[in-house]
């Protein structure tokens, strides 16, 4: 019995063939969804209190809330997105391993800070009596093994185009791009989280009289975001790994998350510079925008007196004048301020 089964177990010299399995449906990243919902709740909560603010302060508060939450949301969300670099191509390629049956499909490669995402969608979707619509992720976080996930894809029998692309990013691939992409993503993630901490400190300083220090921290936030962008951009230093499907080449370029992060970093830089310049030139208007201009007036009023003349006790005044007429000494006077 063992002798009969032995040739079957070594079919294709140990190479795993394609095994039919259920299509992989697209699933929105739960972590990304939670982050977006948290920032939406913060936004709605802060907008609800705006009607209680009078005058121009309502407009100033609205601007600060929107800008602050926008920057914070971008810094956090881009850590979980998968489109820092992306590329798409319409190809004609084989669908199953060890088969000559070809399909026409759109192949997509999205590269994020934590890994890659490969999509395969048939044109049309129904070909070879199957629905061709795949979305597969292969991650290289510190807690995950990319090569192990690739082997799991082989065992599951994923389509050949997906495995072909995923193979390029293996640690033992001749392309030698795995380590560069992995460490670039790790350093970029670290820079983005430091930028988020700096942005929290920035908002705290903006609510204090020392507004100019908030401007300096906005520049620090911008600097760390730019460091993160530069860290990811170092992937351009490696030799390009050609992903070829017949006459068609799949190429990737910096995508939405990359440019959004860079634009947000420039926004923080501009805000920091504006705050610093206004603090030196027109500090009164800067304090008005951050609703801190009323504190000095309150201190001035407190220095004049705690009780105004409108609240002076008439009976007390009468007693005070009576004592003066009777010739009392100053030490016996009752003094009213």
């Amino acid at each position: 019995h063992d002798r009969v089964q032995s040739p079957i177990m070594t079919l294709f010299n140990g190479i795993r063939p394609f095994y039919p399995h259920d299509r992989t449906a697209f699933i929105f990243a739960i972590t990304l969804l939670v982050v977006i919902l948290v920032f939406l709740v913060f936004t709605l909560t802060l907008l609800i209190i705006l009607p209680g603010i009078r005058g121009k302060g309502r407009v100033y508060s609205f601007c600060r809330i929107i800008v602050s939450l926008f920057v914070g949301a971008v810094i956090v969300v881009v850590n979980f997105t998968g489109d820092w670099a992306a590329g798409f191509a319409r190809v004609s390629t084989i669908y199953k391993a060890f088969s000559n049956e070809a399909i026409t499909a759109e192949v997509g490669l999205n590269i994020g800070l934590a890994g890659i995402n490969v999509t395969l969608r048939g044109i049309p979707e129904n070909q070879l009596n199957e629905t061709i619509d795949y979305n597969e992720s292969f991650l290289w976080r510190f807690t995950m093994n990319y090569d192990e996930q690739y082997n799991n894809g082989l065992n599951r029998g994923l389509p050949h185009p997906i495995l072909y692309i995923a193979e390029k990013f293996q640690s033992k691939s001749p392309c030698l791009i795995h380590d560069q992409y992995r460490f670039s993503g790790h350093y970029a993630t670290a820079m983005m989280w430091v930028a988020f901490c700096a942005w929290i400190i920035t908002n705290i300083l903006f609510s204090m009289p020392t507004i100019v220090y908030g401007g300096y921290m906005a520049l620090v936030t911008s600097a760390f975001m730019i460091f993160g962008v530069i860290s990811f951009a170092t992937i351009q230093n490696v030799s390009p790994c050609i992903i070829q499907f017949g006459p068609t080449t799949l190429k990737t370029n910096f995508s939405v998350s990359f440019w959004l992060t860079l634009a947000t970093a420039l926004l923080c830089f501009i805000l920091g510079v504006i705050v610093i310049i206004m603090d030196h030139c027109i500090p009164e208007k800067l304090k008005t925008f951050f609703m801190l201009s009323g504190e000095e007036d309150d201190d001035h009023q407190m220095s004049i007196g705690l009780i105004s003349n409108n609240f002076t006790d008439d009976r007390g005044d009468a007693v005070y004048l009576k004592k003066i007429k009777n010739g009392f000494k100053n030490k016996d006077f009752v003094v009213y301020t």
Side-chain angles (χ1 to χ4, degrees):
H1 179 74
D2 294 337
R3 292 178 181 177
V4 175
Q5 294 296 329
S6 178
I8 299 178
M9 297 299 292
T10 59
L11 187 63
F12 301 117
N13 296 323
I15 300 175
R16 301 173 181 84
F18 180 90
Y19 296 99
H21 66 287
D22 295 335
R23 304 282 74 78
T24 303
F26 174 77
I27 301 175
F28 192 80
I30 300 299
T31 305
L32 185 60
L33 179 62
V34 171
V35 171
I36 294 175
L37 289 178
V38 168
F39 276 95
L40 286 177
V41 170
F42 273 114
T43 304
L44 292 176
T45 303
L46 293 175
L47 291 179
I48 288 175
I49 67 175
L50 281 181
I53 302 175
R54 295 175 296 177
K56 294 181 179 180
R58 183 182 306 170
V59 178
Y60 298 155
S61 298
F62 176 79
C63 295
R64 295 200 309 272
I65 290 172
I66 295 300
V67 172
S68 177
L69 291 178
F70 171 77
V71 173
V74 169
I75 295 175
V76 176
V77 167
V78 294
N79 285 282
F80 304 99
T81 55
D83 57 350
W84 279 68
F88 297 90
R90 182 169 181 171
V91 301
S92 179
T93 181
I94 61 172
Y95 179 47
K96 302 179 181 180
F98 313 106
S99 173
N100 293 326
E101 294 180 326
I103 61 170
T104 301
E106 181 184 63
V107 180
L109 172 60
N110 293 277
I111 304 173
L113 302 182
I116 66 171
N117 183 274
V118 186
T119 59
L120 177 68
R121 177 170 296 180
I123 304 174
E125 290 188 6
N126 295 319
Q127 298 182 52
L128 305 178
N129 297 322
E130 296 183 19
T131 300
I132 303 173
D133 188 5
Y134 288 83
N135 190 306
E136 297 291 334
S137 294
F138 302 89
L139 305 179
W140 49 56
R141 292 193 183 102
F142 280 119
T143 58
M144 298 183 177
N145 189 316
Y146 182 92
D147 293 343
E148 182 179 346
Q149 295 179 65
Y150 173 76
N151 291 330
N152 290 336
L154 288 174
N155 293 326
R156 291 166 54 199
L158 294 177
H160 171 74
I162 294 178
L163 295 176
Y164 170 67
I165 296 175
E167 184 183 11
K168 299 290 185 179
F169 292 87
Q170 268 192 302
S171 60
K172 298 180 180 179
S173 171
C175 292
L176 300 177
I177 60 176
H178 173 82
D179 290 342
Q180 182 65 51
Y181 276 83
R182 181 170 177 263
F183 285 108
S184 295
H186 289 336
Y187 286 123
T189 300
M191 293 297 101
M192 296 306 296
W193 283 118
V194 174
F196 181 68
C197 295
W199 184 244
I200 292 177
I201 298 175
T202 301
N203 284 274
I204 295 174
L205 292 174
F206 278 157
S207 62
M208 301 174 67
T210 55
I211 303 174
V212 67
Y213 294 111
Y216 292 134
M217 285 304 301
L219 296 181
V220 173
T221 303
S222 173
F224 279 105
M225 293 181 70
I226 293 176
F227 290 156
V229 169
I230 294 175
S231 297
F232 184 81
T234 56
I235 61 175
Q236 298 295 322
N237 296 334
V238 299
S239 301
C241 186
I242 300 176
I243 303 176
Q244 193 77 28
F245 292 93
T248 306
T249 303
L250 177 61
K251 298 181 180 180
T252 59
N253 297 297
F254 295 130
S255 191
V256 177
S257 294
F258 180 89
W259 297 116
L260 180 61
T261 304
L262 181 59
T264 306
L266 295 178
L267 174 63
C268 291
F269 178 80
I270 294 173
L271 290 176
V273 171
I274 292 175
V275 169
I276 294 172
I277 293 176
M278 290 184 65
D279 183 76
H280 285 82
C281 299
I282 45 176
E284 296 80 10
K285 292 186 177 180
L286 181 63
K287 291 182 179 181
T288 301
F289 180 80
F290 286 95
M291 300 178 67
L292 297 175
S293 60
E295 293 185 358
E296 295 182 356
D297 296 337
D298 293 340
D299 294 339
H300 179 67
Q301 293 296 331
M302 292 291 292
S303 64
I304 295 175
L306 297 175
I307 303 177
S308 63
N309 294 331
N310 294 332
F311 295 95
T312 303
D313 190 350
D314 295 335
R315 183 177 179 182
D317 290 340
V319 173
Y320 180 78
L321 295 175
K322 184 176 179 180
K323 289 185 177 182
I324 293 177
K325 292 180 180 179
N326 293 335
F328 283 98
K329 296 182 179 180
N330 291 336
K331 64 179 181 180
D332 294 329
F333 290 169
V334 179
V335 180
Y336 292 87
T337 58

